[in-house]
Amino acid sequence: MTPRRRRMLLVGLILLGVSGAVALALTAFQENILYYYTPSDVSAGKAPQDRLFRVGGMVMAGSFQRPPGSLEARFVLTDYEKDITVSYTGVLPDLFREGQGIIARGRLGEDGIFVAEEVLAKHDENYMPPHVADTLRKQGDPRVTTPIATSTADAASE
Amino acid sequence: MIAELGHFALILAFCLTLPQAVFGLAGAAYRKPHWMSVARGAVAGQFVFAALAFACLSYAFYVNDFSVLYVAQNSNSALPTFYRFAAVWGAHEGSLLLWLLVQAMWTIAVAAFSRNMPHTITSRVLGVLGVISAGFALFILTTSNPFERLWPPAPDGRDLNPLLQDPALALHPPMLYIGYVGMSVPFAFAVAAMLEGKLDSLWARWVRPWTTVAWLFLTLGIALGSWWAYYELGWGGWWFWDPVENASFMPWLIGTALIHSLAVTEKRGLFKSWTLLLSIAAFSLSLLGTFLVRSGIIESVHAFASDPSRGLFILVFLGLCIGIALGLYAWRAPLFRSQAGFAPISRESFLLLNNVLLVAATGLILIGTLYPMFLDALGLAKISVGPPYFTIAFLIPMLPLVLMLAPGMHASWKRASFGRTKRLLIVLLGIATVLGTAIPVAAYGWRSVLSTIGIVVALWIAFSSLIEPLGRLRKGHSLSASVLGMSVAHFGLALFILGATVVESYEREVDLSLAPGQSAEHAGFVFTMHALREVEGPNYRAIEAEIRITREGEQVAVVYPQKRVYRVQQNPMTEAGIDGRWNRDLFVAMGEPLGDGAWSLRLQYKPMVRFIWWGAFIMAVGGLIAACDRRYRQPVAREVVSPAAATDASTA
């Protein structure tokens, strides 16, 4: 083989490897996309029944229940339009509490209860999932008269 | 008064970046030595004033001056003194001031250690760095002034985010910034070379130590962040593929590719335009990371209070930097053709593959990080890409990369014959296969083919990285710092792969409920909760559990996990109880009270998890050794050396 042909072969092999890798990665990508739904979407039946997705909203005040000594918690997630009941077994994040915005990842059960594998709470007490803030803003709710994102700074300057 | 002094110093620092940029670039273009020395003077002044501004802000924190808005937001009179200094970079405004100071430090270092470079190159590099400093100084002054006053002054501050009150995190941002900002130096060198229209082996030799030093700080910064997330976020993960982590990891991957590509450019005068492109990409990704963190478009622990105007400023700045650099590249790259060739099996080929794979990994991470943001910005869908994607997408290019590493290290330039090393490498692979299969199976049991491959490859790389240094020592040959540094860094990588593979394959985690007096078994250890008590810290209250860990009746350790509530911000915080040994960590974190004195607890067994951070630390040490190589300090004739002569000299 001439050096030129060898180089072409090398380039060809690299291209082949790279395109194979890209194909594999794209498959992984397709399988690991998590769609995000609101409690309203879920009650409208837009969320899939058979795969993982994420749902975000505020934990409704007074809805948190946990049998004594058990690790299974139940609470209602709301976007102030529709609600969804979430069940989660395990240790909840530090900032989880009623009235706090959270995001849960899991599956929708047959009974309409969302079984979460993971619950995320933002490390900021003023955090609200963006779409909840949008809903509240449309309703003219005083909780969102200042932009959410800068509320920490504003609180200090008041 | 001090705050105004700091603000004034910041304005002066900005004013000095302008002559640095203008006279640096114009002086080189018109060959005016006086102009070029003005640029040097401006660098010194800029450094002094940036340092003064930073000192003023630190002082305001030290004396608890709550009439400064930023201090009132991020400190408190009960905050321990050490954290008052760390609080300076605890939020957006102060961390940008740190960025500016670090930029000034890098610039003055370039000015100081550039005696062996032609004046025009130095001047152009300083000019480009001046443009970048000017952009950041303007950014701080217009959108994020840390010296803004608060009237009337707050009686007390809102306190530093409790998550940030930690020694590792006090160091994480400075390290990361030194790395991020350091990537502006190869970028500036690349732009300078393109303006100069000349790029030779000498150029690569000037850039290499800077790139390596920036890379090693980035390595330390990322490792510290990972170590902090491991024990402070409370849940024992060491990498989450969080967009902000990705934002720091992508410049690291490209920086790693750049280090390897620069080696080829220096030794063989090849890959010139590729090296330029990587230099541009490394800094662009650093800026992209800043944009992602500062604009608030991603939700994460790191996303500080966001402001659309800040995001827009950085986006425009990013667009200008990338646009101008790539435009220049399109115009000038044809000048940098390489003449030399190389055989398909040679060190050049291995390094080419290394670069292709590292860039591919970066690309896949970039897609996973940006795609959800694109969809969201276009209002199409709200999605997130889960960690499994990143794990798979990252492993696909990384597996061939690490498999090639051992032979690649020992391939010679131009045409590799390997010779006797070949047999040695095969023998070492055999030993690694036997040990890497037998020991983990005996210690932890069989897990999967992939884990075994990971462990075997890690051992193979570790062994073969020792061939060169040990061989030379035995024969009494001299060992250059470059070769030693490379071997040490690859050895560190091997430890990292070993730790990451073992912990991901064999870690065991359980959530359960324990009350005082109760015990539970997990991973062969018995965890007994002995007592629960209240503890008072300087600025927090905590509930502390005393957990005794025994194995076969013998006490192994006592850990004291805490659930803290910081008085000012009232946020609960988990402080994990960790018993760390070289070969495993036992990790206990408290969840929440379940009634009747019981608490939910997360118990974890993490074998070899410490190898991850030790490995990263050793990689950084390797970088330090390599950057100290004597040939980078050798005075080179100041006169312009012709490219041909330079290539001959370096390959000889």
Side-chain angles (χ1 to χ4, degrees), chain B residues 405-477:
Chain B
L405 215 161
M409 258 189 289
H410 298 97
S412 42
W413 296 106
K414 285 189 185 171
R415 176 187 295 277
S417 59
F418 289 107
R420 263 186 305 165
T421 337
K422 189 174 188 177
R423 202 186 298 156
L424 191 53
L425 282 172
I426 293 172
V427 170
L428 287 177
L429 177 61
I431 298 175
T433 313
V434 173
L435 292 180
T437 318
I439 296 178
V441 169
Y444 311 111
W446 172 256
R447 181 58 206 262
S448 72
V449 179
L450 201 60
S451 344
T452 308
I453 293 179
I455 295 165
V456 168
V457 165
L459 292 177
W460 192 30
I461 296 174
F463 296 154
S464 47
S465 66
L466 298 175
I467 295 180
E468 190 89 11
L470 290 184
R472 291 208 192 184
L473 275 181
R474 207 164 49 94
K475 288 183 201 146
H477 291 177

Side-chain angles (χ1 to χ4, degrees), chain A residues 2 25 40 47 55-56 72 88-89 131 157:
Chain A
T2 64
S40 304
V55 56
E72 198 205 333
Y88 174 73
T89 306
H131 80 276
S157 56

Side-chain angles (χ1 to χ4, degrees), chain A residues 29 32 34 36 66 91 94 149, chain B residues 382 384 388 511 563 572 574 592:
Chain A
F29 191 65
N32 285 293
L34 290 173
Y36 176 93
R66 169 133 74 186
V91 173
D94 280 339
Chain B
K382 281 188 188 296
S384 69
D511 286 2
K563 182 64 92 179
T574 305
E592 57 249 82

